[in-house]
Short mmCIF file of all heavy atoms in Angstrom, two decimals:
data_model
loop_
_atom_site.label_atom_id
_atom_site.label_comp_id
_atom_site.label_asym_id
_atom_site.label_seq_id
_atom_site.Cartn_x
_atom_site.Cartn_y
_atom_site.Cartn_z
N PRO A 232 16.17 -26.10 17.60
CA PRO A 232 15.11 -25.10 17.77
C PRO A 232 15.66 -23.79 18.33
O PRO A 232 16.52 -23.75 19.22
CB PRO A 232 14.21 -25.77 18.80
CG PRO A 232 14.47 -27.26 18.61
CD PRO A 232 15.92 -27.35 18.34
N ALA A 233 15.18 -22.70 17.83
CA ALA A 233 15.51 -21.36 18.26
C ALA A 233 14.18 -20.63 18.58
O ALA A 233 13.12 -21.03 18.11
CB ALA A 233 16.33 -20.61 17.27
N LYS A 234 14.29 -19.53 19.29
CA LYS A 234 13.14 -18.77 19.66
C LYS A 234 12.89 -17.65 18.63
O LYS A 234 13.77 -16.79 18.35
CB LYS A 234 13.32 -18.12 21.06
CG LYS A 234 12.13 -17.31 21.55
CD LYS A 234 10.96 -18.14 21.86
CE LYS A 234 9.89 -17.30 22.51
NZ LYS A 234 8.66 -18.13 22.80
N LEU A 235 11.78 -17.70 17.97
CA LEU A 235 11.30 -16.61 17.09
C LEU A 235 10.45 -15.68 17.99
O LEU A 235 9.31 -15.87 18.18
CB LEU A 235 10.52 -17.10 15.86
CG LEU A 235 9.96 -16.05 14.93
CD1 LEU A 235 11.09 -15.15 14.40
CD2 LEU A 235 9.17 -16.71 13.81
N LYS A 236 11.15 -14.63 18.46
CA LYS A 236 10.49 -13.77 19.45
C LYS A 236 9.46 -12.83 18.75
O LYS A 236 8.45 -12.47 19.33
CB LYS A 236 11.48 -12.95 20.21
CG LYS A 236 12.36 -13.75 21.11
CD LYS A 236 13.30 -12.87 21.96
CE LYS A 236 12.51 -11.99 22.93
NZ LYS A 236 11.78 -12.73 23.96
N ARG A 237 9.79 -12.50 17.55
CA ARG A 237 8.90 -11.51 16.81
C ARG A 237 9.21 -11.56 15.33
O ARG A 237 10.35 -11.78 14.96
CB ARG A 237 9.16 -10.07 17.38
CG ARG A 237 8.16 -9.05 16.87
CD ARG A 237 8.28 -7.73 17.59
NE ARG A 237 9.49 -7.01 17.23
CZ ARG A 237 10.48 -6.85 18.13
NH1 ARG A 237 10.39 -7.44 19.37
NH2 ARG A 237 11.60 -6.20 17.82
N ALA A 238 8.13 -11.39 14.58
CA ALA A 238 8.27 -11.24 13.08
C ALA A 238 7.44 -10.05 12.71
O ALA A 238 6.27 -9.98 12.96
CB ALA A 238 7.78 -12.51 12.41
N VAL A 239 8.08 -9.07 12.08
CA VAL A 239 7.39 -7.82 11.64
C VAL A 239 7.48 -7.68 10.17
O VAL A 239 8.56 -7.62 9.64
CB VAL A 239 8.03 -6.61 12.36
CG1 VAL A 239 7.30 -5.32 11.94
CG2 VAL A 239 7.96 -6.81 13.85
N LEU A 240 6.34 -7.63 9.50
CA LEU A 240 6.29 -7.53 8.08
C LEU A 240 5.81 -6.11 7.67
O LEU A 240 4.70 -5.75 8.14
CB LEU A 240 5.37 -8.56 7.42
CG LEU A 240 5.24 -8.66 5.94
CD1 LEU A 240 6.63 -8.95 5.29
CD2 LEU A 240 4.21 -9.68 5.52
N TRP A 241 6.61 -5.36 6.98
CA TRP A 241 6.16 -4.02 6.51
C TRP A 241 6.38 -4.00 5.02
O TRP A 241 7.47 -3.73 4.46
CB TRP A 241 7.09 -3.03 7.26
CG TRP A 241 6.88 -1.54 6.90
CD1 TRP A 241 7.76 -0.73 6.24
CD2 TRP A 241 5.73 -0.78 7.19
NE1 TRP A 241 7.21 0.49 6.12
CE2 TRP A 241 6.00 0.54 6.71
CE3 TRP A 241 4.54 -1.00 7.81
CZ2 TRP A 241 5.06 1.54 6.81
CZ3 TRP A 241 3.58 -0.04 7.92
CH2 TRP A 241 3.84 1.27 7.42
N GLY A 242 5.30 -4.30 4.30
CA GLY A 242 5.41 -4.34 2.84
C GLY A 242 6.25 -5.53 2.46
O GLY A 242 5.90 -6.70 2.66
N ASP A 243 7.35 -5.31 1.80
CA ASP A 243 8.25 -6.39 1.41
C ASP A 243 9.53 -6.45 2.20
O ASP A 243 10.47 -7.16 1.88
CB ASP A 243 8.63 -6.21 -0.07
CG ASP A 243 9.36 -4.91 -0.42
OD1 ASP A 243 9.31 -4.00 0.46
OD2 ASP A 243 9.84 -4.74 -1.51
N TRP A 244 9.47 -5.84 3.41
CA TRP A 244 10.59 -5.96 4.40
C TRP A 244 10.10 -6.78 5.57
O TRP A 244 8.99 -6.58 6.11
CB TRP A 244 10.96 -4.59 4.90
CG TRP A 244 11.79 -3.79 3.93
CD1 TRP A 244 11.32 -2.84 3.04
CD2 TRP A 244 13.20 -3.89 3.71
NE1 TRP A 244 12.41 -2.34 2.26
CE2 TRP A 244 13.50 -2.98 2.66
CE3 TRP A 244 14.20 -4.67 4.24
CZ2 TRP A 244 14.78 -2.79 2.15
CZ3 TRP A 244 15.48 -4.52 3.74
CH2 TRP A 244 15.79 -3.56 2.73
N LEU A 245 10.93 -7.68 5.94
CA LEU A 245 10.63 -8.58 7.10
C LEU A 245 11.74 -8.55 8.10
O LEU A 245 12.91 -8.80 7.74
CB LEU A 245 10.46 -10.03 6.57
CG LEU A 245 10.15 -11.12 7.57
CD1 LEU A 245 8.86 -10.93 8.27
CD2 LEU A 245 10.25 -12.54 6.94
N GLU A 246 11.36 -8.31 9.34
CA GLU A 246 12.32 -8.40 10.45
C GLU A 246 12.04 -9.62 11.27
O GLU A 246 10.88 -9.81 11.73
CB GLU A 246 12.23 -7.14 11.37
CG GLU A 246 13.24 -7.23 12.53
CD GLU A 246 13.08 -6.11 13.53
OE1 GLU A 246 12.08 -5.37 13.44
OE2 GLU A 246 13.92 -5.98 14.39
N LEU A 247 13.01 -10.49 11.41
CA LEU A 247 12.88 -11.69 12.28
C LEU A 247 13.79 -11.45 13.54
O LEU A 247 14.98 -11.22 13.35
CB LEU A 247 13.32 -12.92 11.53
CG LEU A 247 12.56 -13.27 10.22
CD1 LEU A 247 13.25 -14.33 9.43
CD2 LEU A 247 11.13 -13.65 10.56
N VAL A 248 13.16 -11.57 14.66
CA VAL A 248 13.92 -11.36 15.89
C VAL A 248 14.09 -12.84 16.49
O VAL A 248 13.15 -13.40 16.99
CB VAL A 248 13.22 -10.49 16.93
CG1 VAL A 248 14.07 -10.29 18.17
CG2 VAL A 248 12.89 -9.10 16.29
N LEU A 249 15.39 -13.25 16.46
CA LEU A 249 15.67 -14.66 16.76
C LEU A 249 16.63 -14.73 17.98
O LEU A 249 17.50 -13.92 18.11
CB LEU A 249 16.40 -15.35 15.55
CG LEU A 249 15.60 -15.38 14.25
CD1 LEU A 249 16.53 -15.79 13.09
CD2 LEU A 249 14.48 -16.38 14.36
N ARG A 250 16.40 -15.74 18.76
CA ARG A 250 17.31 -15.93 19.87
C ARG A 250 17.68 -17.41 19.87
O ARG A 250 16.89 -18.34 20.14
CB ARG A 250 16.67 -15.66 21.25
CG ARG A 250 17.73 -15.73 22.41
CD ARG A 250 17.10 -15.20 23.70
NE ARG A 250 16.13 -16.14 24.20
CZ ARG A 250 15.29 -15.88 25.24
NH1 ARG A 250 15.39 -14.70 25.87
NH2 ARG A 250 14.47 -16.76 25.70
N PRO A 251 18.98 -17.72 19.58
CA PRO A 251 19.45 -19.07 19.52
C PRO A 251 19.34 -19.78 20.90
O PRO A 251 19.36 -19.02 21.93
CB PRO A 251 20.90 -19.00 19.04
CG PRO A 251 20.99 -17.64 18.41
CD PRO A 251 20.04 -16.78 19.10
N ALA A 252 19.23 -21.02 20.94
CA ALA A 252 19.19 -21.73 22.23
C ALA A 252 20.48 -21.35 23.07
O ALA A 252 21.59 -21.43 22.51
CB ALA A 252 19.13 -23.20 22.03
N GLY A 253 20.28 -20.94 24.30
CA GLY A 253 21.38 -20.65 25.17
C GLY A 253 21.88 -19.20 25.05
O GLY A 253 22.79 -18.78 25.83
N ALA A 254 21.43 -18.42 24.03
CA ALA A 254 21.92 -17.04 23.89
C ALA A 254 21.22 -16.13 24.92
O ALA A 254 20.08 -16.34 25.29
CB ALA A 254 21.62 -16.61 22.50
N ALA A 255 22.01 -15.11 25.32
CA ALA A 255 21.50 -14.18 26.32
C ALA A 255 20.54 -13.17 25.72
O ALA A 255 19.61 -12.70 26.42
CB ALA A 255 22.65 -13.46 26.98
N ALA A 256 20.73 -12.86 24.48
CA ALA A 256 19.87 -11.81 23.90
C ALA A 256 19.49 -12.17 22.44
O ALA A 256 20.28 -12.81 21.74
CB ALA A 256 20.60 -10.40 23.90
N PRO A 257 18.34 -11.68 21.98
CA PRO A 257 17.94 -12.00 20.57
C PRO A 257 18.70 -11.03 19.61
O PRO A 257 19.18 -10.01 20.01
CB PRO A 257 16.46 -11.75 20.60
CG PRO A 257 16.25 -10.70 21.67
CD PRO A 257 17.29 -11.01 22.69
N LYS A 258 18.70 -11.42 18.36
CA LYS A 258 19.26 -10.58 17.34
C LYS A 258 18.25 -10.45 16.16
O LYS A 258 17.52 -11.40 15.91
CB LYS A 258 20.54 -11.11 16.77
CG LYS A 258 21.71 -11.07 17.82
CD LYS A 258 22.97 -11.45 17.18
CE LYS A 258 24.18 -11.31 18.16
NZ LYS A 258 25.46 -11.67 17.61
N SER A 259 18.24 -9.29 15.49
CA SER A 259 17.31 -9.04 14.42
C SER A 259 17.99 -9.39 13.09
O SER A 259 19.14 -9.18 12.88
CB SER A 259 16.85 -7.61 14.38
OG SER A 259 16.04 -7.25 15.44
N VAL A 260 17.18 -10.05 12.20
CA VAL A 260 17.60 -10.34 10.82
C VAL A 260 16.58 -9.61 9.91
O VAL A 260 15.39 -9.75 10.08
CB VAL A 260 17.50 -11.83 10.58
CG1 VAL A 260 17.81 -12.12 9.14
CG2 VAL A 260 18.42 -12.61 11.50
N PHE A 261 17.14 -8.80 8.99
CA PHE A 261 16.32 -8.06 8.08
C PHE A 261 16.37 -8.64 6.68
O PHE A 261 17.47 -8.92 6.17
CB PHE A 261 16.74 -6.60 8.00
CG PHE A 261 16.46 -5.81 9.27
CD1 PHE A 261 17.40 -5.76 10.26
CD2 PHE A 261 15.25 -5.16 9.49
CE1 PHE A 261 17.21 -5.08 11.46
CE2 PHE A 261 14.97 -4.57 10.66
CZ PHE A 261 15.96 -4.44 11.68
N MET A 262 15.16 -8.94 6.10
CA MET A 262 15.11 -9.55 4.80
C MET A 262 14.20 -8.70 3.90
O MET A 262 13.21 -8.16 4.29
CB MET A 262 14.52 -10.99 4.95
CG MET A 262 15.40 -11.99 5.63
SD MET A 262 16.74 -12.52 4.54
CE MET A 262 17.51 -13.82 5.49
N ARG A 263 14.62 -8.65 2.59
CA ARG A 263 13.80 -8.09 1.56
C ARG A 263 13.14 -9.22 0.82
O ARG A 263 13.84 -10.10 0.32
CB ARG A 263 14.60 -7.19 0.59
CG ARG A 263 13.83 -6.43 -0.42
CD ARG A 263 13.27 -5.14 0.20
NE ARG A 263 12.52 -4.35 -0.73
CZ ARG A 263 13.04 -3.33 -1.46
NH1 ARG A 263 14.33 -3.07 -1.34
NH2 ARG A 263 12.24 -2.58 -2.21
N CYS A 264 11.81 -9.26 0.82
CA CYS A 264 11.13 -10.41 0.39
C CYS A 264 10.56 -10.38 -1.06
O CYS A 264 9.83 -9.46 -1.43
CB CYS A 264 9.95 -10.67 1.31
SG CYS A 264 10.43 -10.80 3.09
N GLY A 265 11.00 -11.26 -1.85
CA GLY A 265 10.39 -11.51 -3.16
C GLY A 265 9.45 -12.63 -3.14
O GLY A 265 9.14 -13.24 -2.06
N ARG A 266 8.84 -13.02 -4.32
CA ARG A 266 7.87 -14.06 -4.31
C ARG A 266 8.44 -15.40 -3.83
O ARG A 266 7.82 -16.09 -3.06
CB ARG A 266 7.32 -14.20 -5.69
CG ARG A 266 6.17 -15.16 -5.87
CD ARG A 266 5.60 -15.25 -7.28
NE ARG A 266 5.09 -13.99 -7.70
CZ ARG A 266 3.87 -13.54 -7.43
NH1 ARG A 266 3.01 -14.34 -6.68
NH2 ARG A 266 3.44 -12.35 -7.84
N ASP A 267 9.56 -15.78 -4.28
CA ASP A 267 10.16 -17.05 -3.93
C ASP A 267 11.61 -16.98 -3.43
O ASP A 267 12.31 -17.97 -3.36
CB ASP A 267 10.12 -18.01 -5.21
CG ASP A 267 8.73 -18.39 -5.59
OD1 ASP A 267 7.95 -18.93 -4.77
OD2 ASP A 267 8.39 -18.07 -6.72
N ARG A 268 12.00 -15.75 -3.08
CA ARG A 268 13.37 -15.56 -2.66
C ARG A 268 13.45 -14.36 -1.72
O ARG A 268 12.78 -13.36 -1.99
CB ARG A 268 14.28 -15.39 -3.82
CG ARG A 268 15.78 -15.34 -3.56
CD ARG A 268 16.51 -15.32 -4.88
NE ARG A 268 17.93 -15.26 -4.73
CZ ARG A 268 18.66 -14.09 -4.71
NH1 ARG A 268 18.01 -12.91 -4.89
NH2 ARG A 268 19.95 -14.05 -4.58
N TRP A 269 14.17 -14.46 -0.65
CA TRP A 269 14.44 -13.32 0.19
C TRP A 269 15.95 -12.98 0.07
O TRP A 269 16.76 -13.84 -0.14
CB TRP A 269 14.17 -13.66 1.68
CG TRP A 269 12.80 -14.01 2.07
CD1 TRP A 269 11.66 -13.93 1.31
CD2 TRP A 269 12.37 -14.55 3.28
NE1 TRP A 269 10.57 -14.35 1.98
CE2 TRP A 269 10.99 -14.80 3.23
CE3 TRP A 269 13.04 -14.90 4.51
CZ2 TRP A 269 10.28 -15.30 4.28
CZ3 TRP A 269 12.32 -15.44 5.55
CH2 TRP A 269 10.93 -15.67 5.43
#
Side-chain angles (χ1 to χ4, degrees):
K234 180 70 173 179
L235 177 57
K236 293 185 65 64
R237 187 170 69 250
V239 180
L240 183 62
W241 179 245
D243 57 352
W244 285 97
L245 176 66
E246 179 188 10
L247 300 169
V248 182
L249 300 167
R250 188 173 70 190
K258 291 187 177 181
S259 290
V260 177
F261 292 92
M262 292 284 188
R263 188 80 179 266
C264 303
R266 184 178 299 275
D267 294 303
R268 186 172 180 267
W269 300 348

